[in-house]
């Protein structure tokens, strides 16, 4: 009985190992490009190219992995054995936030393509009500706010951020926000014209203004609207 059980366990673990073995020789390691069309999403491009959404987003140093603009050209990285098709760690978290202000700067944000009140709240990690109070767009209650609209972002006072030049070589704004204790929205506010950096400078990363260590200086802050 023990011998039979040992054989079954061996076959089970051998099967798991065999399924998880990646053969490098079968991978498509060619780096290619993808011209973005009006119907493309990061998900459809991922499916079409057999690359994970985060591999694509990080290779292109995207500010927001879900922001696709027709006419842009994305870099499609080669396949690797550690590709994780289900990886969503590069996406802005769809959490519920209750903060009413952001520690540190900036005080203004220029809206991006397809921005809504809800998406901006997620980028700055504040409550939806906070953004609703600040948004004066006539038709943006539930829909898209016109691109390049200037929106005031409530700041916590006293608070601070350290802002330094940063060479952005790989990753997404979500990765940077986690690494430097800031928010995606604050990085966007300091770099209003940046979306992604792929084909044009595949070997050299752009230099962006990076807000770092954005913190409240006391436990009792005032909201500056």
């Amino acid at each position: 009985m023990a011998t039979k059980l040992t054989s079954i366990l061996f076959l089970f673990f051998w099967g798991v190992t065999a399924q998880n073995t990646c053969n490098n020789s079968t991978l498509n390691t060619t780096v290619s490009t993808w011209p973005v069309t009006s119907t493309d999403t990061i998900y459809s491009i991922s499916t079409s190219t057999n690359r994970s959404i985060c591999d694509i987003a990080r290779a292109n140093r995207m500010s927001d992995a879900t922001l696709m603009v027709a006419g842009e050209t994305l870099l499609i990285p080669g396949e690797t054995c550690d590709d994780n098709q289900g990886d969503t760690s590069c996406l802005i978290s769809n959490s519920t936030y209750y903060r009413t202000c952001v520690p540190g700067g900036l005080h203004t944000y220029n809206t991006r393509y397809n921005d809504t009140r809800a998406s901006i709240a997620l980028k700055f990690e504040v409550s939806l009500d906070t953004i609703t109070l600040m948004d004066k767009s006539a038709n943006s209650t539930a829909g898209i706010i016109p691109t390049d609209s200037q929106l005031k972002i409530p700041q916590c006072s006293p608070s601070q951020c350290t802002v330094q030049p940063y060479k952005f070589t790989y990753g997404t704004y979500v990765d940077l926000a986690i690494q430097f204790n800031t928010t995606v929205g604050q990085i966007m506010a300091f770099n209003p014209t940046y979306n992604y950096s792929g084909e044009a400078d595949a070997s050299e990363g752009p230099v962006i203004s990076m807000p770092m260590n954005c913190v409240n200086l006391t436990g009792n802050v005032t909201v500056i609207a």
Side-chain angles (χ1 to χ4, degrees):
M1 180 66 179
T3 302
K4 184 177 180 180
L5 180 60
T6 301
S7 299
I8 293 173
L9 289 173
F10 173 78
L11 288 172
F12 172 76
F13 286 115
W14 180 87
V16 171
T17 302
Q19 288 177 349
N20 291 337
T21 298
C22 175
N23 185 351
N24 283 301
S25 65
T26 65
L27 297 176
N28 178 4
T29 57
T30 302
V31 177
S32 58
T33 57
W34 184 278
V36 179
T37 69
S38 60
T39 60
D40 278 330
T41 67
I42 190 67
Y43 304 99
S44 66
I45 296 172
S46 170
T47 300
S48 297
T49 61
N50 196 34
R51 307 294 194 276
S52 76
I53 58 176
C54 287
D55 280 347
I56 296 171
R58 287 174 173 134
N60 289 277
R61 312 165 184 120
M62 297 181 75
S63 60
D64 179 353
T66 63
L67 177 56
M68 294 285 112
V69 180
E72 294 181 339
T73 301
L74 295 181
L75 199 67
I76 305 300
E79 286 183 301
T80 64
C81 280
D82 59 359
D83 275 349
N84 182 357
Q85 291 293 334
D87 181 18
T88 58
S89 61
C90 62
L91 300 181
I92 296 171
S93 174
N94 193 28
S95 301
T96 300
Y97 296 103
Y98 300 96
R99 293 195 310 181
T100 56
C101 58
V102 177
L106 281 171
H107 194 38
T108 57
Y109 168 75
N110 292 333
T111 57
R112 303 294 183 95
Y113 177 71
N114 274 350
D115 260 341
T116 64
R117 290 175 177 176
S119 70
I120 295 170
L122 292 176
K123 289 173 182 176
F124 283 93
E125 300 179 12
V126 295
S127 71
L128 177 57
D129 286 345
T130 297
I131 298 301
T132 300
L133 288 172
M134 304 306 296
D135 175 28
K136 307 304 180 184
S137 303
N139 300 312
S140 64
T141 302
I144 296 171
I145 301 174
T147 303
D148 288 329
S149 299
Q150 193 171 82
L151 188 67
K152 283 190 175 181
I153 303 298
Q155 281 187 282
C156 306
S157 178
S159 64
Q160 69 178 20
C161 284
T162 300
V163 182
Q164 296 181 2
Y166 177 78
K167 190 169 185 179
F168 190 14
T169 57
Y170 185 78
T172 65
Y173 274 12
V174 169
D175 299 318
L176 296 182
I178 294 170
Q179 180 180 353
F180 293 110
N181 191 32
T182 184
T183 66
V184 169
Q186 285 167 283
I187 305 173
M188 287 183 170
F190 275 98
N191 302 276
T193 62
Y194 182 89
N195 180 27
Y196 82 107
S197 178
E199 182 189 17
D201 55 357
S203 61
E204 292 292 329
V207 175
I208 62 174
S209 297
M210 175 57 58
M212 304 177 181
N213 301 317
C214 300
V215 294
N216 294 326
L217 297 179
T218 68
N220 186 19
V221 297
T222 301
V223 178
I224 301 178

